């Protein structure tokens, strides 16, 4: 398949989802809302659930689900662009802040912080110049220098009595596996409280990085996600379930910077941000070379 160049469309992007949610909860949106979602939200649902499955973009759905048996394909309402950088760090942070990446600053996996002169793997606070698992500081660097207020905090403070929850490995409702994610979401929906619920799961992205985008193991992961989502939709009353992705993935070739060691002597630290949008931190006086 020949890849086409796709630019972010902030008039019709995943950023509109969280801004529509803010509007629904009676909070002034920060950006343009999603017109398609706004129409559905005209109904006063008891529960609104946004389920984000990492990497499950349109290409993934169209090429891994058959037309004959696909709950997801049958219920596609619109196609949205991601934000830029179109990567999990930037996109999921946009969804939980209702801000664009240039506003919240969480641009990619590894960001260079002038304040400490180091590259930081910002989700896990690792030292990007040493090895995974080595803390870069005794405090969380990204939280200190690029702190943000999430839509969960905003809604719980201003959302007209609507309770907001984040069901994920990193959220307000902590889970360890996919079964727990759906069980906890169902439990929240059955509570008497009116709720907005956001869920995040790191598949099929994780499996696609290992096996490629169209492997049978990816299809198995997707079938499990689809079956559990379909069952949740059947079991929850007065609930709108919105399924989305943070970005898509494509199979591609690889060029490894480490195979060109002469480059390293010109760099202050390893390349940063993301492989799909590399940043080079060049030593003073070495730009021409």
């Amino acid at each position: 398949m020949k890849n086409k160049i796709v630019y972010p469309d902030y008039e019709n992007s995943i950023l509109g989802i969280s801004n529509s949610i803010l509007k629904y909860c009676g909070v002034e949106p920060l950006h343009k809302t999603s017109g398609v979602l706004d129409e559905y939200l005209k109904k006063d649902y008891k529960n609104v659930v946004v389920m984000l499955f990492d990497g499950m973009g349109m290409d993934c759905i169209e090429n891994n689900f058959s037309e004959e048996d696909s709950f997801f394909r049958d219920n596609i309402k619109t196609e949205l662009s991601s934000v830029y950088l179109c990567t999990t760090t930037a996109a999921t942070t946009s969804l939980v802040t209702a801000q664009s990446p240039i506003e919240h600053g969480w641009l990619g996996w590894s960001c260079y912080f002038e304040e400490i002169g180091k590259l930081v793997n910002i989700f896990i606070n690792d030292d990007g110049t040493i090895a995974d698992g080595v803390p870069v500081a005794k405090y969380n660097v990204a939280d200190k220098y690029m702190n943000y207020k999430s839509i969960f905090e905003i809604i719980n403070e201003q959302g007209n009595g609507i309770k907001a929850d984040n069901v994920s490995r990193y959220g307000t409702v902590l889970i360890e596996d996919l079964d727990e994610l759906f069980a906890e979401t169902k439990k929240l929906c059955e509570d008497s409280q009116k709720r907005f619920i956001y869920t995040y799961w790191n598949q099929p992205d994780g499996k696609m990085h290992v096996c490629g985008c169209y492997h049978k193991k990816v299809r198995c992961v997707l079938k499990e996600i689809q079956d559990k989502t379909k069952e949740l939709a059947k079991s929850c009353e007065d609930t709108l379930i919105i399924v989305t992705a943070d970005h898509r993935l494509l199979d591609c070739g690889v060029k490894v910077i480490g195979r060109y060691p002469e480059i390293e002597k010109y760099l202050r630290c390893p390349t940063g941000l993301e492989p799909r949008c590399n940043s080079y931190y060049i030593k003073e006086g070495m730009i021409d070379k």
Side-chain angles (χ1 to χ4, degrees):
M1 182 178 68
K2 186 176 180 180
N3 298 339
K4 63 179 181 179
I5 296 174
V6 179
Y7 295 95
D9 177 7
Y10 286 104
E11 295 297 303
N12 187 42
S13 78
I14 57 173
L15 189 59
I17 295 174
S18 45
N19 280 280
S20 285
I21 296 298
L22 289 180
K23 179 182 175 182
Y24 174 75
C25 294
V27 180
E28 185 70 26
L30 305 176
H31 287 281
K32 181 178 170 59
T33 61
S34 167
V36 173
L37 183 52
D38 288 342
E39 284 299 311
Y40 282 95
L41 291 173
K42 285 180 179 179
K43 179 180 176 182
D44 189 24
Y45 289 95
K46 176 184 170 292
N47 305 302
V48 176
V49 183
V50 173
M51 309 196 80
L52 191 154
F53 297 107
D54 200 321
M56 198 180 74
M58 290 292 291
D59 179 78
C60 173
I61 291 173
E62 290 173 350
N63 288 284
N64 286 294
F65 290 111
S66 67
E67 292 185 25
E68 294 76 24
D69 181 29
S70 175
F71 176 70
F72 283 161
R73 286 186 70 143
D74 292 344
N75 286 282
I76 291 172
K77 302 304 178 186
T78 190
E79 183 173 356
L80 304 174
S81 89
S82 186
V83 296
Y84 191 78
L85 281 54
C86 48
T87 177
T88 297
T89 307
T92 57
T93 307
S94 284
L95 274 161
V96 302
T97 62
Q99 296 179 325
S100 64
I102 199 170
E103 293 171 303
H104 59 64
W106 293 56
L107 297 178
W109 181 254
S110 299
C111 292
Y112 185 80
F113 286 81
E114 292 284 356
E115 294 87 347
I116 63 171
K118 289 184 178 180
L119 199 68
V120 180
N121 297 332
I122 59 177
F123 266 5
I124 53 178
N125 207 42
D126 281 356
D127 187 333
T129 64
I130 302 175
D132 287 349
V134 179
V136 71
K138 292 182 179 180
Y139 56 90
N140 188 291
V141 175
D143 283 345
K144 178 176 180 178
Y145 295 110
M146 299 191 301
N147 195 20
Y148 60 76
K149 196 166 193 175
S150 72
I151 60 173
F152 316 112
E153 295 172 280
I154 294 169
I155 292 168
N156 286 332
E157 291 173 4
Q158 307 173 38
N160 297 329
I162 299 174
K163 178 74 167 61
D165 290 292
N166 175 358
V167 182
S168 70
R169 285 174 170 163
Y170 324 100
T172 55
V173 179
L174 298 175
I175 52 95
E176 289 296 328
D177 55 40
L178 193 62
D179 286 333
E180 275 191 31
L181 184 147
F182 280 95
E184 290 297 328
T185 302
K186 187 172 187 293
K187 188 188 299 183
L188 290 171
C189 287
E190 291 173 343
D191 187 80
S192 59
Q193 172 72 50
K194 188 174 183 179
R195 291 183 184 273
F196 161 61
I197 303 164
Y198 167 86
T199 78
Y200 169 81
W201 189 242
N202 66 341
Q203 298 291 354
D205 179 278
K207 190 63 69 176
M208 292 167 87
H209 274 293
V210 174
C211 302
C213 294
Y214 316 114
H215 195 277
K216 62 182 179 180
K217 290 183 179 179
V218 172
R219 290 194 290 273
C220 287
V221 167
L222 288 165
K223 186 177 187 308
E224 182 183 20
I225 289 171
Q226 178 177 254
D227 290 348
K228 291 182 183 298
T229 305
K230 186 176 181 179
E231 183 59 35
L232 180 69
K234 285 182 178 179
S235 65
C236 292
E237 296 181 359
D238 199 12
T239 298
L240 177 66
I241 297 177
I242 303 140
V243 175
T244 189
D246 48 352
H247 60 80
R248 68 188 291 196
L249 285 90
L250 292 171
D251 290 337
C252 63
V254 176
K255 297 291 184 183
V256 182
I257 297 294
R259 291 177 183 166
Y260 306 92
E262 65 273 18
I263 293 176
E264 292 182 6
K265 63 186 177 184
Y266 301 116
L267 303 179
R268 288 182 284 162
C269 62
T271 59
L273 284 188
E274 296 278 350
R276 71 200 78 184
C277 183
N278 248 192
S279 290
Y280 295 81
Y281 305 95
I282 302 171
K283 291 177 181 177
E284 189 174 350
M286 296 290 189
I287 290 178
D288 290 342
K289 290 185 178 182

